[in-house]
Amino acid sequence: MDPSAPLVSVQNVVRSFGGVKALDGLSLDVFRGEFFALLGPSGCGKTTLMRAIAGFEAPDGGRVLLDGVDLGDTPPHKRPVNMVFQSYALFPHMSVERNIAFGLEREGLPRAEVAARVDEMLTLVQLGDERRRRPDQLSGGQKQRVALARALAKRPRLLLLDEPLAALDRKLREETQFELKRVQRRLGATFMLVTHDQDEAMTMADRIAVMRAGRVEQLGAGADVYNRPANRWVAGFVGEINLFEAAATADCAAGASCAFQLDVGLTTTPLHCGEAVAKGQRVAVAARPEHIALSRAAPDQPGPVGAVSDLAFRGDATLARIELPSGFVVRALLPNASVGGARFARGDRVALSLAAGAATVLTS
Amino acid sequence: MTRRSLAERLVLAVPFAWMALLFLAPLAIVVKISLSRSVIAMPPYEPAFDLSLGWADALDKLGQFSFAAYESLFDDNLYVDSYLSSLRLAGVATLATLLMAYPMAYAMARAPVAWRPALVVLAVAPFWTSFLIRVYAWIAILKDEGLLNHALMALGLIDEPLNIFGTDWAVLIGIVYSYLPFMILPLYNSIAAQDPALREAAGDLGAGPMAAFWRVTLPLSRGGIVAGCLLVFIPAVGEFVIPDLLGGSDTLMIGRTMWTEFFDNRDWPTASAATIVLLALLLIPLALYDRARAAGTERVL
Ligand SMILES: Nc1ncnc2c1ncn2[C@@H]1O[C@H](COP(=O)(O)OP(=O)(O)OP(=O)(O)O)[C@@H](O)[C@H]1O
Ligand SMILES: [Mg+2]
């Protein structure tokens, strides 16, 4: 088997519920050993995609291949794929170790082998002391770990995790994110994680598929999705961003750089254009709040000047909202560590500038 | 500790008063009669308390209580045989009801959500007709020249009519038919309450539909099974109408034996003693159930 071939290949999968297309011709590939995240708003079809891969939903169209083999009508219990359910779905009448052993016994493994693997999993998720407890005697984080151990014990070729951390509080979630990452690296397993928390996707995943209404809007490494959003929707969905309406100042070939004239009255430094842009063509220039700089406005300041309408303290930084005379609101993130830096108060008049090369040109 | 208001106390007192009035008071009367002696009079037992005669008289009569009626239960084998036969018939009938009801309850619980209320109504629909009439109807079905035999002979399955009516088989059929809804409903509840994700998880972990049923669905419906079996077994043991209408002269059930004792022999103390013994017998499965439940919260399967 070609090691560079995808482990899972989802090809043009369609799944409709009544009139709603939960999956609308979706395609994506997941590679061996990868930590892959599905990120998207509620109802965009993330769970449906996972269920189609696990075999709980039969696609109306398209195929799901695992190691190049069409899974077709293979029932869930015959797929070498395991799932961690959002509700964990632990068997309430079985102890932690019986839960973990369940899948191994179904394979007909010898007792000794089952016991050895259960021990291995209990060590992995650090639940050795809780092995005889029942699920209702466990905390949320412990249940999550049992669900993970139960699925991993089967040594699946692909592990599907449907928002496994959604029910955990913030601190535990961070710890568990770290744990999941550790386990995945140690086993060299392929994980596919569903989340609608972009920080979680960024922290954990090697690659992220940003989904919207049953389709993939952008697929790439977290940094790419964050720094080079493919379109206005992704830019708006992933992180905070300012979208400036703008026009090209010159013809620009695909891959070349050129300056843009923002409608707010600012000309950018040359920006990389993914697609060819004609002079005067309308585009959006997307700039993260951390790439907007503020300075105290002189009375005859050229360029965009606005008033600080709001300041939100965020610990390491402060998010400022600046209202321009046109009513357009720009968000700027000001690091608090810069002790010598300017401090602003509400109502201050400030001038805006864009960090060189830090914005993205969006033609769609 | 918070002090309860008078209104709260009253609200709490209502169910207790209800229990005392409708359960404990009749029970006390039956116990009292069971300790009396049978006489030919009205009432047909002694001593009969009369508070107008004063407390001293009542105390004196207390001394006349005896366990003679209980001892008379063992004078011949009739009572012991009736008890054993009732327990056996009710046990077999309960098992048969469970085996019939489980697939029905399972199908109901897995039906589309929109259908379920209608299915529950259908399951209890027989209650719209009088119990007595429904049991009577079975006579027409089961008797030698009845509907069942006609149908079987028309189909060529049998040459001679089956003799079901007037046997223990007819009693079994009658009990299973009459008590089926009491088994279906708790089973349905316990199956419908199971998180569908549990079955999916079983499938995901490699359990085929059968394994998922035996390992997950069935053990998780244990509460419904126990509740349904108690709801069928307990009234079935004391059943009178079904053995009387469908059974034969040799069908021995304690309900019928007590009926004869009360109304034909007018031996109220013996009938009352038989009732109390039956009650004690039926407390055994309840106590076992309670113990199992208490242990179940500790024990891990
Ligand atoms: N069994 C079903 N019957 C009808 N509609 C369904 C069913 N399952 C999903 N849908 C619809 O399909 C769409 C996608 O649902 P899905 O559960 O995949 O979303 P999701 O991305 O997982 O959302 P969330 O983040 O809220 O879990 C939604 O519009 C949902 O209403
Ligand atoms: Mg979901």
Side-chain angles (χ1 to χ4, degrees):
Chain A
M1 178 112 348
D2 174 9
S4 65
L7 174 70
V8 182
S9 185
V10 176
Q11 300 177 350
N12 295 312
V13 168
V14 177
R15 178 73 174 104
S16 320
F17 294 105
V20 186
K21 277 196 170 158
L23 298 177
D24 189 5
L26 183 140
S27 299
L28 55 79
D29 287 340
V30 180
F31 295 92
R32 229 170 297 274
E34 188 171 38
F35 202 124
F36 191 92
L38 287 174
L39 175 65
S42 188
C44 72
K46 305 180 296 289
T47 299
T48 308
L49 175 59
M50 290 228 145
R51 293 172 58 82
I53 296 174
F56 296 120
E57 287 307 342
D60 302 324
R63 318 190 287 167
V64 177
L65 307 185
L66 185 77
D67 271 334
V69 179
D70 189 347
L71 288 177
D73 297 329
T74 312
H77 65 277
K78 299 218 172 102
R79 296 192 181 201
V81 165
N82 285 107
M83 185 153 165
V84 175
F85 289 77
Q86 181 163 0
S87 60
Y88 308 142
L90 299 180
F91 302 125
H93 57 303
M94 295 180 197
S95 65
V96 168
E97 55 184 356
R98 303 286 306 124
N99 262 282
I100 299 174
F102 183 90
L104 302 172
E105 287 165 354
R106 301 285 79 71
E107 287 176 33
L109 292 180
R111 269 166 171 273
E113 167 84 16
V114 172
R117 277 219 225 164
V118 168
D119 286 342
E120 182 193 338
M121 284 302 138
L122 286 170
T123 315
L124 184 75
V125 297
Q126 298 162 10
L127 280 174
D129 294 340
E130 285 82 11
R131 60 190 305 152
R132 285 186 214 290
R133 298 238 192 114
R134 279 199 314 194
D136 59 5
Q137 300 165 322
L138 299 176
S139 72
Q142 289 171 331
K143 282 186 202 160
Q144 197 277 331
R145 274 142 65 197
V146 177
L148 180 67
R150 185 177 72 172
L152 278 177
K154 300 271 290 178
R155 302 200 179 142
R157 278 195 259 171
L158 174 69
L159 183 73
L160 303 168
L161 302 117
D162 191 359
E163 306 208 27
L165 311 179
L168 307 183
D169 63 44
R170 191 190 160 86
K171 190 156 180 301
L172 190 58
R173 193 159 67 220
E174 274 171 19
E175 276 169 29
T176 315
Q177 285 174 354
F178 175 76
E179 277 294 310
L180 272 179
K181 232 5 228 177
R182 179 183 70 91
V183 166
Q184 187 257 345
R185 267 200 223 104
R186 217 179 103 188
L187 302 178
T190 311
F191 279 27
M192 188 165 174
L193 173 90
V194 161
T195 178
H196 55 234
D197 177 344
Q198 44 173 314
D199 293 333
E200 189 168 295
M202 300 279 170
T203 319
M204 306 184 67
D206 301 317
R207 289 195 307 151
I208 298 174
V210 184
M211 280 181 67
R212 177 196 186 190
R215 295 171 158 277
V216 174
E217 290 281 327
Q218 185 171 4
L219 202 160
D224 286 345
V225 172
Y226 188 78
N227 293 324
R228 301 263 168 263
N231 55 41
R232 290 170 191 238
W233 187 84
V234 174
F237 181 71
V238 180
E240 275 177 297
I241 206 154
N242 298 292
L243 283 178
F244 296 100
E245 298 301 325
T249 56
D251 285 339
C252 183
S257 293
C258 103
F260 288 82
Q261 175 64 41
L262 307 188
D263 290 2
V264 296
L266 196 68
T267 306
T268 65
T269 56
L271 298 173
H272 174 91
C273 297
E275 295 171 42
V277 178
K279 179 171 184 202
Q281 185 182 332
R282 303 293 301 171
V283 297
V285 169
R288 298 281 172 198
E290 59 267 35
H291 294 139
I292 306 267
L294 299 183
S295 57
R296 226 167 271 286
D300 55 349
Q301 182 82 30
V305 170
V308 176
S309 64
D310 210 357
L311 289 165
F313 181 71
R314 293 218 177 148
D316 51 349
T318 298
L319 185 76
R321 292 163 64 88
I322 299 103
E323 194 170 331
L324 301 181
S326 62
F328 188 77
V329 174
V330 178
R331 282 166 297 176
L333 195 68
L334 313 170
N336 287 338
S338 56
V339 179
R343 290 269 185 275
F344 299 100
R346 208 171 304 167
D348 282 357
R349 288 176 49 74
V350 291
L352 302 178
S353 57
L354 264 181
T360 309
V361 179
L362 303 173
T363 51
S364 58
Chain B
M1 222 18 228
T2 53
R3 297 248 325 250
R4 296 184 198 284
S5 72
L6 184 66
E8 270 180 319
R9 283 165 196 249
L10 275 177
V11 168
L12 285 175
V14 168
F16 286 107
W18 182 266
M19 288 273 286
L21 201 67
L22 295 178
F23 180 74
L24 288 179
L27 182 67
I29 294 173
V30 175
V31 169
K32 189 228 148 207
I33 296 176
S34 76
L35 296 170
S36 309
R37 258 176 306 114
S38 173
V39 291
I40 301 170
M42 195 62 218
Y45 54 83
E46 260 185 0
F49 287 87
D50 186 348
L51 283 183
S52 63
L53 300 177
W55 288 106
D57 175 71
L59 269 179
D60 178 47
K61 282 178 176 168
L62 267 183
Q64 299 178 26
F65 278 156
S66 80
F67 286 96
Y70 288 90
E71 282 156 19
S72 75
L73 291 182
F74 298 96
D75 284 350
D76 55 32
N77 287 336
L78 177 67
Y79 278 94
V80 175
D81 288 350
S82 296
Y83 283 126
L84 291 178
S85 165
S86 290
L87 292 174
R88 183 176 53 84
L89 267 170
V92 174
T94 303
L95 202 66
T97 313
L98 176 64
L99 293 179
M100 279 200 69
Y102 205 101
M104 294 169 81
Y106 188 87
M108 284 166 66
R110 296 277 182 264
V113 179
W115 296 11
R116 291 187 202 165
L119 292 174
V120 171
V121 169
L122 282 179
V124 297
F127 292 143
W128 262 258
T129 324
S130 149
F131 171 64
L132 213 54
I133 290 177
R134 285 183 287 129
V135 178
Y136 254 107
W138 275 99
I139 300 177
I141 297 174
L142 296 177
K143 65 184 178 185
D144 289 3
E145 61 282 12
L147 290 174
L148 181 68
N149 278 317
H150 270 303
L152 290 177
M153 292 210 288
L155 288 172
L157 292 174
I158 50 171
D159 301 325
E160 306 245 302
L162 295 175
N163 179 20
I164 301 175
F165 177 64
T167 67
D168 286 359
W169 289 108
V171 178
L172 267 179
I173 292 172
I175 294 179
V176 170
Y177 162 77
S178 303
Y179 291 97
L180 198 61
F182 294 110
M183 186 67 93
I184 291 180
L185 291 183
L187 285 176
Y188 164 77
N189 278 333
S190 71
I191 300 171
Q194 291 176 22
D195 181 358
L198 292 177
R199 246 182 339 137
E200 290 190 343
D204 186 69
L205 292 166
M210 283 310 277
F213 174 79
W214 286 110
R215 303 276 165 171
V216 178
T217 307
L218 187 67
L220 287 178
S221 56
R222 202 180 73 150
I225 295 175
V226 173
C229 286
L230 289 175
L231 282 177
V232 172
F233 181 75
I234 291 178
V237 172
E239 182 57 56
F240 165 72
V241 173
I242 295 172
D244 201 54
L245 292 183
L246 301 180
S249 51
D250 55 346
T251 300
L252 210 50
M253 282 193 81
I254 189 67
R256 242 175 149 196
T257 311
M258 286 194 291
W259 174 279
T260 315
E261 209 62 67
F262 254 108
F263 296 101
D264 297 347
N265 302 348
R266 282 183 65 83
D267 186 347
W268 288 22
T270 304
S272 298
T275 306
I276 298 298
V277 170
L278 181 61
L279 192 66
L281 281 177
L282 292 181
L283 282 175
I284 295 172
L286 271 181
L288 287 178
Y289 170 56
D290 218 48
R291 275 235 331 245
R293 224 185 29 179
T297 53
E298 315 272 292
R299 203 183 67 216
V300 168
L301 290 175

